Amino acid sequence: MVAAESQPADDNERQTQLLRGALDMCLLALLGREPAHGYELVRRMEAAGFGVISYGTIYPLLTRMRRLGLVADEEQASPTGPPRKVYALTGSGRIHLDAWQRQWNRFADTVGAILAAPNHNPTRS
């Protein structure tokens, strides 16, 4: 991912908007691979190249997805402190993830086709 300092300000805003549209799907995909606690999900998102994502973004989204039945949480002992909530994908979460992934792929294919199409009209000044 490109460092924020080298991007124009509107690129940062566009990146934020794109992330908002895909964050729940990405979290479900990560939980579909392996259950995790919130801190681990933040770390995985950063490792994937999304940059810094705050806990204040992740935890409310996990709470909403739990209320919707997409994820379940379970308290597990922590080796270094108090118990922590570990989130896992539910059956309903898997169904939603599969549907969202198909929708995302169609959307990305459509955008990609538009961006890849040759420009036959000269740019007007």
Side-chain angles (χ1 to χ4, degrees), residues 40-55:
E40 176 65 18
L41 289 169
V42 168
R43 191 191 67 69
R44 288 184 196 173
M45 292 293 289
E46 289 174 0
F50 280 106
V52 177
I53 297 176
S54 75
Y55 301 105

Side-chain angles (χ1 to χ4, degrees), residues 19-28 31 55-73 85 87 90 92-93 96 100:
L19 180 60
R20 264 191 207 123
L23 186 57
D24 52 356
M25 181 175 52
C26 291
L27 289 176
L28 288 181
L31 291 172
Y55 301 105
T57 299
I58 297 293
Y59 283 106
L61 187 52
L62 288 169
T63 298
R64 184 174 65 80
M65 290 191 301
R66 185 182 49 75
R67 277 196 316 262
L68 293 171
L70 305 177
V71 300
D73 62 343
K85 282 186 183 179
Y87 297 88
T90 63
S92 178
H96 278 79
W100 290 347

